[in-house]
Amino acid sequence: MPVENDSSVAQVRHLLRELLVGREDPGGFFCLCLSILGSRETRAGFRELIAPLTDKHRQLHSQLITIYQEYFSREEDDELRLAPQDEDDELQLALALSLVHTSCQNSPRQPVPRSYAQLASAMPVKGQPQGVDTQKSMGTHKPAGRVGERSPNGLKEPGATRPAATANEGRTDSSLANDSDSQEKLDSNDQSEKSRKSRRRRQRKQQQQLLKSPSSPRPILLWFRRDLRLLDNPALIGCLELGAPVIPVFLWNAQEEEGPGVTVATGGACKYWLHQALVCLNEALERIGSHLVTVKAEPSSSEALQRLVEETGAGAVVATALYEPWLKERDEGVFNTLKQHRLSCHLYHSYCLQDPYTVTTQGVGLRGIGSVSHFTSCCQQNPTGPSGAPQDAPRTLPVPSAWPAGCPLEQLGLARMPRRKDGTMVDWAVNIRRDWDFTEEGAHARLEAFLQDGVRRYEKESARADAPNTSCLSPYLHWGQLSVRWLLWDARGARCRSPKFQRKLAWRDLAYWQLTLFPDLPWESLRPPYKALRWSSERAHLHAWQRGRTGYPLVDAAMRQLWQTGWMNNYMRHVVASFLIAYLHLPWQEGYRWFQDTLVDADVAIDAMMWQNGGMSGLDHWNFVMHPVDAAMTCDPNGTYVKRWCPELAPLPDELIHKPWKCPASILRRAGVVLGQNYPERVVTDLEELRTQSLRDVAEVRRRFSEYVDQHSGCDLIPLPDRLVEEALGSTGEVLRSGSRFLLPVITRMEFKHQSVEPDAAEGRVNPYNAVLKGYVSRKRDETVAFLNERDFMASVVHEGTQRLERAERNQRLLEGLPAPPSATRGRPRRTPTMPQR
């Protein structure tokens, strides 16, 4: 080894280890070698220093050799040798390298320059006065890696500094004696300026040639979609393992993302969250020396990616898998096209715990399909999910010599705000910004707060709307700002574990599995008879439900919370869904569309599955219906939730706040509540009759389409997808050739079975399987509970009187010496003897 300074060699070898683990990039490593060893020693011993990389890191070794040769090529080629008067440039470059090394030691967060070409472009031009600030001299170009300015895409771009004029530009020497001398000097300045511009063009051309050179590692396009994080991002870690510069990109094509039909995959609130999340992701990338390039993918994502490949010379595309059928089909087409152009494509699975396309029912069967228990058994029988501990975020990210041109984030139209007729903007997202932290750190802070406190109450009190007993992590999971594996890892490691909370993750995977089996899940009822259900066409009722103007305080409070913050807890989603379907008789598709447009965590698979189940047409019939008043005893017993979101009702007493229509006129006047003016009248009044009519409609369609009802069990039958038929029968050939459809019995609500058997039993009012839930928090102010309490009180008084008479009779018998009466075994029911049959 020609280098004799052992301490310098040790420093370089330490940097080499940092390079191998991804904490340093190749360009920065070479620059620091120049600063530590000097130009002569680096030229003599650099190849030997990096020789150990040839065995297992050939691509990284090739990249370092390319940088090395590009730096020293000017001294080896006589045609490109620098003129003697340009020796000052070499001194300025050494000074720049030394300053960069010093700044890196003083501020470890500041990223180092990524390549020699960028340092060369940052070098001050010849003729710079010695007294000019070095930082200004390095700012004459735009080297990547400088934090604080804005990139062409509108995000803060590291490596973009504002060009600063050199000290001698635009000046004339005050000591000029005559016009001829002045003209000569001006001509000389013009020639030097042309020379500088020519040198800059040549350097940019060399950078582009280096980027597309076959001998240098071609950059990687890291295609961010729904994995907007650095922690536990397998796609990001996969890019580092490839050992090449990484270009993070985000493509947006609204038509592709929306999906077919009336899917409404990304509504207004969800897109606004995405806009804020992209800003936060860019800031996180800046902290590790990179930045995000946003691209409006027109006319398609495939063509946009091909343009990026041509512009950057990329050799690979890395992304996280998406599971919506239309997006999966798009990705397959994009990757097939890229592979035809000899690009390497890598797809990582991390959005769900289980890849839904690999979940199979083999060894479990089809009985109970649609339930989370059946799905969990399938996953346990055939595990395919990600394993191991979550991965940390990289400390640095290797960047290319040149960045592709993006577009401003605002051009994607994600955070579009409407304008009034007078031109003023309607900022409908002001409350969303106030209530949510869109950063990755905000997601982990919410998770930590929930595991420290809320998880202890989640098991029994997650339904409470008046207390923060839920995690509020769903929007972070939807956009991948929080890894589902990280969430499960932390939840299992929490001191107070909650099986109910972990079960929610299984529901999430189940929804995506159903979407892969039934691609038309967002708009087509899975149970054929229920497509013919008679629905209401009252648009005024739908509008009142959407705006929180139904006259039922609990429903209105939930819908107003959704409109203002983009979120409500799971129990309240059940309440408003039951009211829309069971009492307003509006189709479940209307509720699905509204949720997709207003929820910040709007998820096609989850919303479609839940609304199908609540709308009586999904794989699983929920055996409950939420009453708009009785449910308040469970989730808001003291009216706190209603008082927050319906402040006009706050002056009402607690015992009447959920039923203002029963409040005396004097109390309404004192509270300032005028029904029909500052709070609406009820849109419907006879809830019992509406529920009865709903049961009649279900019984009617089951009677009309009796071929979809199993006569033995009374369960509904659904046509089974070919994928499940093949798993169950081994092949779909015989079934398809015969032209028949494989019908499978699925979970059916007991209330519907009984209604179909006895449709005229008091018009359904005495159905023993009535699914309407009563609140379980007892309050004397509720009529039903008060009646039960009164009945129980009367029964206890009668029982005490009976005991008193029995004691008196027993005492009398003792005084008279008679045997004890037969009622001595009190507390046990007496059995009336029966006469033997003759």
Side-chain angles (χ1 to χ4, degrees), residues 792-802 804:
D792 292 341
F793 173 76
M794 293 174 62
S796 64
V797 171
V798 172
H799 180 64
E800 290 177 359
T802 303
R804 186 166 54 253

Side-chain angles (χ1 to χ4, degrees), residues 552-555 571-572 575 579 583 625-637 658-659 661-662 687-688 691 770-779 781-786:
Y552 288 89
L554 186 64
V555 176
Y571 189 87
M572 297 311 302
V575 170
F579 187 77
Y583 296 105
V625 173
M626 300 292 189
H627 191 278
V629 178
D630 293 340
M633 294 190 297
T634 298
C635 64
D636 189 29
H658 292 292
K659 296 166 291 186
W661 57 90
K662 291 193 174 182
L687 299 181
E688 292 297 328
R691 268 285 295 151
N770 185 14
V772 179
L773 295 182
K774 298 292 183 180
Y776 60 77
V777 178
S778 296
R779 295 186 301 163
R781 52 181 171 263
D782 181 83
E783 292 86 0
T784 304
V785 176

